[in-house]
Amino acid sequence: MYTITCEHLTKTFESDRGPTSPINDLSVTFEQGTINAVIGQSGCGKTTLLRMLAGLDTPTSGRIAFKGEGHDPRISIVFQEPRLFPWFTVRENIRLSVRHLPEAEQTKLVNEALALVRLEHVADAMPAELSGGMAQRVGLARALCPKPDVLLLDEAFSALDALTRTRLYEEFMAIYAVVPMTTVLITHDVTEAVLLAKKIHRLGSGHVEAEYDVPFDYPRRLSSPGLAELSDEIFTEFIKNEKGDRK
């Protein structure tokens, strides 16, 4: 597993209105084998940070270091939408993430991923036949199939209805108990962050403005002693900070 360290990270984009830096001198550490939530208002740089962690964007300055097992980390992303190819079956969609491997190994990994998300019974179904929650589980299975060292979740649960989202939280934590990974969860939902993360990082003005430890055992409920109070504290500070930014 890997610890991810960002040091004085800045990302600047040029536009007709001049340069803008959604990430500006950001330093943060995501500890190995834990779930780290990144929260913040729209435009605070959450997705820009995730894209740099994934290697999809290059920092303008600063550095990102992955410290762990010696090889380049395997990184997987789950997006807000499952992004399944409609002409491929569930099994074929998952197989895409390991298509570079020998066929026998592909089959083994795909079967393991299907079992992790409990979708063996729809392995040969088409995406149009799936519910929203099932489709997102296929997206999660595709991300887990290569056995990543780092898992990036970009608002991965936000498009689901409340009941489906709660069920998927439980299923994700059951999977995480079996295959813990260094995980970065990008979310605007404070409750989601408190239910899933060990540490929460609040972004604002392009850098980390506050960090919160979440010392509760899994599985978690809002009824867990102290959890609702922490959620309320973070939410209150989040709203206060957002109003301050608008002045």
Side-chain angles (χ1 to χ4, degrees):
M1 289 185 285
Y2 285 76
T3 294
I4 308 170
T5 303
C6 302
E7 297 177 348
H8 303 291
L9 206 62
T10 294
K11 179 63 179 180
T12 301
F13 297 97
E14 298 292 339
S15 70
D16 294 339
R17 292 176 291 178
T20 180
S21 300
I23 294 295
N24 185 18
D25 196 31
L26 179 148
S27 294
V28 66
T29 297
F30 303 120
E31 295 294 340
Q32 67 174 6
T34 64
I35 301 173
N36 303 265
V38 177
I39 63 173
Q41 61 181 308
S42 297
C44 74
K46 299 188 301 295
T47 296
T48 300
L49 173 60
L50 179 136
R51 288 182 60 84
M52 288 191 290
L53 294 175
L56 300 175
D57 277 337
T58 303
T60 304
S61 62
R63 64 190 292 266
I64 300 173
F66 293 87
K67 300 176 183 177
E69 299 174 9
H71 59 78
D72 289 339
R74 295 181 295 273
I75 300 173
S76 288
I77 308 177
V78 181
F79 297 98
Q80 181 176 353
E81 301 293 338
R83 301 188 181 187
L84 304 181
F85 290 96
W87 53 85
F88 287 157
T89 65
V90 166
R91 183 186 300 278
E92 290 166 340
N93 268 283
I94 297 171
R95 189 183 294 271
L96 288 171
S97 64
V98 290
R99 60 189 181 279
H100 59 289
L101 298 175
E103 186 171 350
E105 190 171 355
Q106 288 183 33
T107 299
K108 176 178 178 293
L109 290 171
V110 170
N111 287 339
E112 290 175 354
L114 283 165
L116 272 177
V117 299
R118 298 187 295 113
L119 287 179
E120 302 101 317
H121 62 294
V122 294
D124 297 315
M126 305 302 290
E129 302 174 64
L130 306 177
S131 66
M134 291 173 73
Q136 195 65 348
R137 282 157 64 192
V138 176
L140 180 58
R142 183 173 56 195
L144 295 174
C145 190
K147 298 190 180 298
D149 303 297
V150 174
L151 181 65
L152 306 176
L153 303 174
D154 188 11
E155 303 278 8
F157 308 110
S158 63
L160 304 171
D161 64 83
L163 181 57
T164 302
R165 189 163 59 243
T166 299
R167 288 174 176 166
L168 200 52
Y169 291 162
E170 294 174 353
E171 292 178 0
F172 175 71
M173 292 314 304
I175 292 168
Y176 188 81
V178 176
V179 283
M181 298 155 284
T182 305
T183 301
V184 179
L185 166 67
I186 301 296
T187 182
H188 64 274
D189 189 330
V190 172
T191 300
E192 178 174 289
V194 170
L195 287 172
L196 297 180
K198 280 289 189 181
K199 192 153 192 172
I200 298 172
H201 312 266
R202 192 187 78 225
L203 264 58
S205 303
H207 59 272
V208 176
E209 292 192 328
E211 295 181 323
Y212 309 88
D213 290 314
V214 190
F216 304 100
D217 293 333
Y218 297 115
R220 296 172 181 168
R221 302 285 186 277
L222 284 178
S223 58
S224 301
L227 196 144
E229 289 80 2
L230 177 60
S231 180
D232 185 63
E233 174 192 340
I234 297 172
F235 184 75
T236 300
E237 292 183 11
F238 180 83
I239 294 300
K240 186 186 301 182
N241 179 73
E242 185 176 24
K243 288 180 178 178
D245 286 346
R246 290 177 177 174
K247 290 181 179 179

